[in-house]
Amino acid sequence: MTEYGRGHGSEPWHPEDPLYGDQGWTGHQTQQGQVPYGGEQQQYAQDPQYQQQYPQEQYPAQQQGYAPQYPQQAQQAQQPQQVQHPQQAQHPQYQQQPHQPQQPVYDAQGWDTGGQQYVATAPADPYAGVDPYAQQAAAGYPGENPDLYTTADAYPPPQPPNLRHLEPELPEQQDDEPEESFLAGGGDAEDGDDNGGGGRRAGRSKGGKGGKPKKRSGAACLVASLVIVGVLGGGGYYGYTFIKEKFGAAEDFAGEGTSEIVDVEIPKGAGLGQMGRILKEAGVVASAQAFVDAAGANPKGKSIQPGTYPMQKKMSGAAAVALMIDPSKLRVITVTEGMRNAKVYEAIDKKLNKPAGTTEGIAQQNAKNLGLPAWAGNNPKIKDPLEGFLYPTRYDLSKDSTPESLLKQMVKNASDKYAELGVEGKAKELGLENPLQVITVASLVNAEGKNHDDFRKMSEVVYNRLKKTNDVTNQKIEFDSTYNYAKGQSEINFNLKEAQAFNNPYNTHYIKGLPVGPIGNPGMDALTATLNPDHGGWMFFVSVDGNTTTFTKTYDEHLKLVAEFQERQKQKNGG
C-alpha cells in the first residue's frame, strides 16, 4: 500500500480517503505538506521518503497510477505533463538530495521502472493506524521556514469538506453590562446572591453562564402593562375619531339650540372651516363639518360676513347658518353715508340692548369728552355737536362694547379722515368761514345727490348760491333735506310755503346761507366732491323720476323741470 492508501491492485480509493471526490477543494490544505488541487503549489517540508511531486493537471483526471519523483529526476523521468512551480527550483528543500534511494515511477500499464519491476511485496504504510488529518511533526531542513502548525498558538489543521462543521459565532461578552431600565426590576436585593460567609454580593451573572435569571419586579411589569394599554387605547381612540370624522356622518345637534346665548366673533378673512371651528369651540355647533356642510347646502352660505353674532348653544349646523346669513343678526353697526346721528344712536341702543335714548343722552352730555376736534361744536345753536363726526363705516361690536366706546371710535375715524383730507386748510380756499362749514356742505351734497358726479354738481350749486351776487335765490340754499332735518323727518312731498315760513337755523328755505351745522355724516365721495366742485355754473337741480338728477343754470329751466316733476307726482298718487 502506498502513502495514499492504494494497494498493489486496481481497487478504487476508499471513500474516506481525504482526497476522494474533492478535486476542487481549494479553501484549505488537506494535511501538512499538501496543497489544494488546481491552485498554486506551496509545499512544506516532509520526511525525505515522502517528498514526491504529483502533476496537478494529471491527478484529477487519472486515478490509475502515479509518478512520484525527486526534483533531480525530473528530466530523467521525461514526464511531459510534469509541472514544476517556480518556487521549487529555488527553495532548499527542492534541491538534489544525496543518497536517496530511487523511487519507482508508475505508469498507466504497470510497474515500469525503466527496466525493473517490483512484485507483490508492498512497503510498509507509514500512515497505517494514524489519523491522516492529524498534524504530523516534520523534521525540518536547515534554513527552511518553520512549520506554523506545530506551535501552541497555531490554528487547527484544516478539515476536508465532508468533516467540516461550522460552529455559530457567539456574541462577544462585554465586561460591562449596560444599565437596565426600570422595567427590568433590578432591585438591590435581587441582582445577585451572597458569596457565602463574606457577605458580599456576587456580580451579575452573564447570559449563558449558568447564572440565575434576573427577577422582574411586579410593579415594573404592571407599569409596563399600563403603558402598553394606554398607548393602544389612546391610538385606538384617535384612530376611531379620525375614521369617524373622515368617513362617518358629521356630528350635529338638532333644532334652534338652547336658551343660553353666547357672542361669537368671526374675524375678517375667515373661511367656512375656520368659522365652523370657532362655533364648535363656543359650543354652538356639534362639529365644524356639520356647519360647513350646512353652509354648502345653503345658497347664501358663502355670504356670511365677519363680525360678532349672538348665537344660542347647541344649534344645528343649518340653524347656525340661517342666523349668520341674516345681516340683522350680526352684532355690527354700519353707519351709511349721509346717515343722521339719530339713526346711529338707535342702532347702538338696539345692538347693545340698551334702553331707547341711552346713547343720545351720552352724546349730548359728554360730547366734549369724545374726541371732537377743536373747531367742531362751538356754535350753541347746533342741534347735535356730534353730527357729521360719526364716520360712515362698519363697526364690529364685542362683549366689551359700550355706547361711549363706540362713539369715541366713530369720532376718531371722522377726525382722522378730515385731517387726512386737509379740511381745515381748504376752508378759506372754498370761500367758507371755518372747517365745520366744509363738513356741512358735504352733508348737504350727500343728502341730495345720488352718485359722485351728482355730488360735484351739487357742491357747485351750493357755492354759487352762497355768493353775494346771487340775486335769484338771494343767497338761500333752499334744500329740502335741511327742512326735513329740522323737522326730524324724511319727506319728499311737503308744503313749500310752510317750509319757507318755518324758522329754524337748519331750514335753508327760511335762512340765508348754510345751516349751523351738518345734517348728516358725509361719506368719502361727498367729502372729495365738496373739496373739488364741478365749476359748471350750476344753480338749480331737480330729480323728475326720483333716480336721475337734472341740473340747470337758469331759473326758467328749473321751473320747467319743477312742473314736470309735479305732474309726475300727481300721476303717481292717482290724481
Side-chain angles (χ1 to χ4, degrees), residues 125-189:
D125 188 356
Y127 292 105
V130 179
D131 185 358
Y133 301 106
Q135 184 172 348
Q136 303 293 329
Y141 293 95
E144 70 175 344
N145 293 333
D147 186 0
L148 300 180
Y149 286 100
T150 61
T151 62
D153 297 332
Y155 288 100
Q159 297 293 331
N162 62 334
L163 297 181
R164 298 173 194 163
H165 300 285
L166 298 178
E167 296 182 0
E169 296 183 359
L170 296 178
E172 297 182 1
Q173 298 292 339
Q174 298 182 356
D175 293 339
D176 297 331
E177 284 191 353
E179 295 183 0
E180 298 183 2
S181 66
F182 75 96
L183 296 179
D188 291 340

Side-chain angles (χ1 to χ4, degrees), residues 476 478 480 483 487 492-504 507-511 566:
K476 288 184 179 180
E478 295 182 346
D480 294 347
Y483 175 75
K487 284 286 194 177
I492 297 177
N493 297 318
F494 57 84
N495 191 305
L496 182 57
K497 292 182 178 181
E498 291 181 1
Q500 293 173 346
F502 181 65
N503 185 2
N504 188 282
N507 182 15
T508 58
H509 282 287
Y510 181 84
I511 66 169
Q566 291 175 350

